[in-house]
Amino acid sequence: MGVRHAVVAGGGIGGLTAAVGLSRRGWRVTVCERASVLAGIGAGIVLAPNALRALDSIGLGPGLCAGDALPGQVGLRTPDGTWLSRSDDGAVAARYGLSPQAVHRGFLIDTLVAALPADVVRLGVSVTGVEDVGDTVTVRTSAGDLRADVVLAADGMRSVLRGQLFPAHRGLRHAGEAGWRAVLPGTGLPAQQAAETWGRGERFGVVPLTDGRIYVYATAVSVPGARPADHHEELTRRFGAWHDPIPALLDRLNQRNPAPVAILHHDFHELAAPLPRMHAGRVALLGDAAHAMTPNMGQGGCQAIEDAVVAAHLLAQADDVPAALAAYTRVRHTRTTRISRRSRRIGELARLSHPLAVSIRNLAVRATPQTLSLRALDTVLDWQPPSATVSVTEQR
């Protein structure tokens, strides 16, 4: 058998992880990315223990685990600063063997690209369709056709290839919220703790990154397409009276500062229903293309990484590509569906706005022991990457 060729549609975290996994297992890989510049958007990502294990399985663990873990207490607060729940980082590391790492998405993208041969990523090239003819796939791109043994569609929540493979699917639905994201300089600020604060239909999150910067995000109940005239004014109106350090962080978002910080704003969407499967023939979907979910568990990127390493593992050892992708669906579909549904339920709790409902929610969170809260995450964070000795037929 000659060197097999994989085309990856999309140069985001999931697509690049899949490209690294396959290239390190002897495949020739072409990543088609429609953007002209490959860069992580201005936001952070928390690499949970499951994602760190996945990256380690393709040789990327040491560099990503070199930074400091999320410091001190990690937990949930109310707008006056009262802790509803918190978990010491040592307890997380003791239970799962690894501590979460919070990094800038740009750093993760750069790390993945550096692990690839120089000619793998083609910028400014979009994938517009595929034609699966049995033994190979013809990939239609803006720069001409490509022939491949397999196509991995990592082209995002508005995936063109998902629409082609599953034209009857309902697609995306609005999740009832919108969010803001920004990465701030940490210079001059005291050490920050990772925490999310829940109010009445509003949330504010603070995550210190390993490079010393601070990732902040906020959410609010919203209708599709609603856009405030001034993001900083809107955030200050909603969160300016909340506990420290939120007012000081908001001040750094002031666009009148000498060095203004970019504020990203977006509606939350998710797949209206799970796909019937995550592959068709020689084409597999991964990440948001396969299971776009709300960000309430911080698992969207982590699940894309899991998808990528599982797909690379199964394809590396398989002579029959469609059989390998069928195994990929068996391994990934149930897990990602459960996590997506769980994330949706958390969002429903966070969006509560009636004072009585909020009080009952907060009392329930406060009454839940830390050990029970951690145990509830076992099925998510305890995930292990597939063993190199497990065959396609055993992946059930």
Side-chain angles (χ1 to χ4, degrees):
M1 180 185 298
V3 176
R4 294 181 291 179
H5 182 212
V7 170
V8 179
I13 291 171
L16 292 173
T17 302
V20 173
L22 284 171
S23 66
R24 291 188 170 186
R25 288 171 167 87
W27 282 65
R28 180 169 67 90
V29 183
T30 301
V31 176
C32 296
E33 169 53 46
R34 64 184 177 185
S36 58
V37 177
L38 196 59
I41 59 174
I45 180 173
V46 176
L47 297 172
N50 53 311
L52 290 171
R53 286 190 211 95
L55 291 166
D56 186 62
S57 74
I58 58 172
L60 295 178
L64 290 168
C65 294
D68 294 332
L70 287 177
Q73 303 288 338
V74 178
L76 187 63
R77 307 177 80 173
T78 61
D80 66 2
T82 302
W83 287 96
L84 293 176
S85 69
R86 47 185 167 179
S87 176
D88 184 86
D89 177 64
V92 175
R95 189 170 189 88
Y96 302 114
L98 291 167
S99 296
Q101 302 283 327
V103 302
H104 195 283
R105 284 176 179 262
F107 166 77
L108 181 54
I109 292 288
D110 290 345
T111 300
L112 293 167
V113 171
L116 290 168
D119 60 346
V120 166
V121 180
R122 298 187 183 181
L123 298 176
V125 177
S126 58
V127 174
T128 58
V130 293
E131 182 180 349
D132 190 343
V133 293
D135 292 338
T136 59
V137 183
T138 299
V139 185
R140 311 293 183 191
T141 84
S142 58
D145 291 351
L146 298 171
R147 297 293 294 274
D149 297 282
V150 70
V151 175
L152 298 180
D155 52 344
M157 67 170 57
R158 291 178 174 81
S159 168
V160 170
L161 297 186
R162 183 182 69 229
Q164 178 183 334
L165 297 180
F166 302 102
H169 188 266
R170 292 159 55 195
L172 298 174
R173 75 171 187 92
H174 190 263
E177 288 181 282
W180 295 264
R181 292 179 291 172
V183 175
L184 311 172
T187 307
L189 291 174
Q192 301 295 312
Q193 292 184 318
E196 189 168 278
T197 301
W198 284 14
R200 294 171 54 184
E202 299 171 328
R203 286 176 283 174
F204 197 97
V206 179
V207 182
L209 302 181
T210 56
D211 64 8
R213 289 182 289 178
I214 302 167
Y215 170 45
V216 297
Y217 60 90
T219 74
V221 173
S222 177
V223 296
R227 297 289 184 272
D230 185 297
H231 291 302
H232 179 254
E233 287 183 2
E234 181 70 7
L235 289 167
T236 301
R237 181 184 71 81
R238 290 180 177 275
F239 306 104
W242 286 23
H243 65 79
D244 291 334
I246 293 174
L249 296 173
L250 289 174
D251 185 61
R252 295 202 170 197
L253 289 176
N254 193 331
Q255 298 304 290
R256 291 185 291 273
N257 288 337
V261 173
I263 302 175
L264 304 176
H265 180 266
H266 60 284
D267 288 333
F268 288 176
H269 290 90
E270 62 180 344
L271 283 189
L275 293 173
R277 59 191 182 281
M278 291 171 59
H279 79 287
R282 290 176 174 266
V283 183
L285 301 168
L286 60 87
D288 283 346
H291 43 69
M293 64 182 69
T294 57
N296 301 306
M297 292 186 68
Q299 278 290 315
C302 295
Q303 290 306 302
I305 291 169
E306 284 188 17
D307 289 346
V309 300
V310 170
H313 165 78
L314 292 171
L315 286 167
Q317 58 175 335
D319 295 330
D320 187 334
V321 168
L325 297 188
Y328 167 74
T329 283
R330 290 195 300 270
V331 173
R332 299 299 302 158
H333 190 272
T334 298
R335 175 171 171 80
T336 56
T337 298
R338 287 174 177 168
I339 291 174
S340 178
R341 288 172 176 165
R342 187 171 177 179
S343 182
R344 182 184 308 132
R345 290 194 296 269
I346 292 173
E348 290 167 352
L349 285 175
R351 289 197 303 273
L352 292 174
S353 59
H354 190 282
L356 179 58
V358 170
S359 295
I360 293 172
R361 176 197 70 192
N362 291 353
L363 285 171
V365 173
R366 186 180 289 125
T368 304
Q370 174 188 326
T371 53
L372 185 59
S373 297
L374 274 178
R375 192 181 308 146
L377 293 173
D378 284 355
T379 57
V380 178
L381 303 185
D382 240 356
W383 179 87
Q384 300 291 330
S387 166
T389 62
V390 177
S391 70
V392 168
T393 55
E394 291 172 325
Q395 288 283 334
R396 296 180 183 272

